[in-house]
Amino acid sequence: MINSQRKQFVESRILHKVSMPSQYLGGERNAIVKDHRTVKGKICLAFPDAYTIGMSHHGLQVLYSLMNRRDDWVAERAFCPWQDMEAQLREHNVPLYSLETFTAVSDFDVFGISLQYEVSSPNVLTMLDLAGIPLHATDRTMADPLVLAGGPCCQNPEPMADFIDLFVTGDGEPALPLICDMWLELREQARAAGFAEGAAGVQQRADALQKIAAELPFAYVPRFYEPEYQDGRVVALNRTRNDVPETIEPSVIRDLEGIPLPTSPIVPYVECVHDRIAIEIMRGCPWQCRFCQSTVIKRPLRIRSVDTIINAAMESYRNTGFNEISILSLSSSDYPHFEELVKRLHEVFRPLGVNISVPSLRVNETLRTLPALIGSERRGSLTLAPEVARDDMREQIRKKIKNEDLFAGCRNAFENGFDSVKLYFMCGLPGERPVDLDGIVDMAEHIAGIGKEVKGRYVRVTASVSNFVPKSHTPYQWNGMQRREYFQWAHKYLWSRRKIRSINIKCHDIDTSLLEGVLSRGDRRTGKAIELAWQRGARMDGWTEHMDAQRWWDAIADAGIDIDQQVHTQYGLTDKLPWDHVNVKYGRTFLEKEQSRSLTQLEAMADAK
């Protein structure tokens, strides 16, 4: 049931004025169009970034497939438009619409937003505003869709709390259908009684949200919690009513094998960041690296069987024709049946000319033989994430890898046709010393030297260095982030140590990293800065060419946020943290023990040379 009038208007009056118009048209292979008159509920799944990014996100395809498998629900998609399209929609008074049927987002029952990275926060406001949905959750009535958010940024939901009705942490597959069904029932009851307006309408919506919050332990409704501040920091999060839980539990899939994979993913018309089939083989990680938020929030470890993965990959290939399959997990080479899986994938897909991509490789003994196992068809670079280069710092961050495995794997890669290596490192970790930065360059140079031994010339080695941000629900959540001056010094120091021309050191933008620190470690007051930045033009700030750092710093200052206290000042182990009400597996007690062990190790490291 396509809104033909709106579609024709957009095609004839707008699309010729914008770049890459096909990203606003829908109609892709495997997109699902249902007659809205035949379903009970409608959800618009939103990704607050460009189409080319959102369509590369596996989670969107998973939830789209999940809800559309149901006869009584339809799921459609919306992405944040580029500035040229935003301007056209505003000029012609066209609301943000779904790609499948050109239905206004405000006409859906649920508007589900994936919050994947902090700097996309203003894009959420853009989408709400273009949809005609009130920006602030407390201004909405039952006539408005439920604004629901999930994703890693929900591990600290407070900075976006003013704009979201309900947050979900953990796995979306079990939570989304329950929330959607319950909201639809409550909305139909309200519709039968008549949607109230004004203050009565706001209260009608609050009563409905309370019922969800009281019944579903993974549903966090911020309006029922009031932060209490003292000396500039949160000291309590007080419930405004006693019939909602004090803390929020994560939604957890117990049996990943029982959750169907999306085997008819949508095939975009335009080139996206990832034009390939993605198959999730495992959720969770067997390791407990102290810096990693994902390994904490995705517990417990769950796997799919080799047969399930192979069958899903083949069905997806038949339904899409993509010539690359990527197996997904936090640490693919830790999958228990990894060698069997990769061999069988090659046996099945190599005759079809389909490449197998194996990202997220851990540096372990498997890496020594992996390059020969995966081959080098259409790939010339091996990507690894040692994170740090010295053994004592590895012990500190709990990433127990061995240089000999890494070097042996690189040698094997060069012998099997690979001609470059990309290494991911972090700088600014707790206790970091100049010798840790030296180690980054030394490791890159050693690998380049191995390449010369094998190939007769130095190979390209890229050391990609990110600026460490202590994230919520990690043992480092109490640590402060390094200041701008430190990162500036560290980046220059790394470059000064480089001697081999084939080595490239790429350091992440400092302003973006510091902004990530503000947004990921903030409390509810941070929402004011997000709204100010958006009002002043913040759009698509995840794209380097659109980021205006000064606009953000001005907004943060005008919102009265003390950056030094919020980002750089360490918390005490007994201090209240802005995200303490969001629970994770093992909980805060485990994190406190890990932080204490970290501090003991840091004391020993300080004496090392």
Side-chain angles (χ1 to χ4, degrees), residues 119 122 467 469 481-485 487-488 509-520 526 528-530 532-534 536 538 541 547-564 566-568:
V119 294
N467 307 307
V469 180
M481 184 178 178
Q482 290 282 8
R483 289 176 168 76
R484 177 188 303 274
E485 293 76 16
F487 290 122
Q488 290 172 334
D509 179 69
I510 296 173
D511 276 301
T512 302
S513 298
L514 291 171
L515 178 58
E516 182 183 342
V518 173
L519 298 177
S520 67
T526 306
K528 178 62 175 176
I530 294 171
L532 284 174
W534 174 75
R536 297 169 183 179
D541 285 350
M547 166 62 80
D548 181 344
Q550 192 57 51
R551 175 165 52 208
W552 273 103
W553 302 131
D554 291 343
I556 290 167
D558 292 345
I561 294 172
D562 184 340
I563 295 176
D564 188 74
Q566 182 161 310
V567 180
H568 303 301

Side-chain angles (χ1 to χ4, degrees), residues 483-553:
R483 289 176 168 76
R484 177 188 303 274
E485 293 76 16
Y486 177 83
F487 290 122
Q488 290 172 334
W489 170 82
H491 293 182
K492 290 179 180 178
Y493 183 80
L494 285 166
W495 268 104
S496 72
R497 291 276 286 105
R498 170 181 171 268
K499 299 182 183 67
I500 300 174
R501 290 179 59 188
S502 67
I503 291 175
N504 185 25
I505 299 173
K506 297 175 64 175
C507 298
H508 287 205
D509 179 69
I510 296 173
D511 276 301
T512 302
S513 298
L514 291 171
L515 178 58
E516 182 183 342
V518 173
L519 298 177
S520 67
R521 296 178 61 78
D523 53 44
R524 197 169 297 190
R525 296 169 295 184
T526 306
K528 178 62 175 176
I530 294 171
E531 188 170 355
L532 284 174
W534 174 75
Q535 290 172 345
R536 297 169 183 179
R539 302 289 191 277
M540 294 293 188
D541 285 350
W543 300 73
T544 304
E545 62 271 30
H546 294 285
M547 166 62 80
D548 181 344
Q550 192 57 51
R551 175 165 52 208
W552 273 103
W553 302 131

Side-chain angles (χ1 to χ4, degrees), residues 306-319:
V306 173
D307 285 340
T308 295
I309 295 165
I310 298 294
N311 293 337
M314 177 53 74
E315 188 175 349
S316 298
Y317 170 70
R318 290 171 176 158
N319 290 331

Side-chain angles (χ1 to χ4, degrees), residues 56 69 128 160 162 178 243 253 267 282 391 417 462 520 594:
S56 300
R69 276 196 296 269
L128 289 171
M160 290 294 287
D162 290 342
L178 291 174
D243 49 6
I253 294 173
V267 182
M282 180 171 73
D391 289 339
T462 300
S520 67
E594 280 299 302

Side-chain angles (χ1 to χ4, degrees), residues 10 15 18-28 49-55 77-85 96-100 102 268-272 540 543:
V10 170
L15 292 188
V18 303
S19 60
M20 203 186 298
S22 54
Q23 66 184 311
Y24 305 114
L25 269 176
E28 310 98 320
D49 208 322
Y51 175 95
T52 54
I53 301 294
M55 283 304 298
R77 298 162 296 144
F79 302 93
C80 189
W82 287 102
Q83 288 91 324
D84 56 355
M85 183 62 168
L96 184 69
Y97 57 83
S98 68
L99 293 184
E100 279 73 10
F102 281 71
Y269 284 136
V270 301
E271 183 178 356
C272 292
M540 294 293 188
W543 300 73

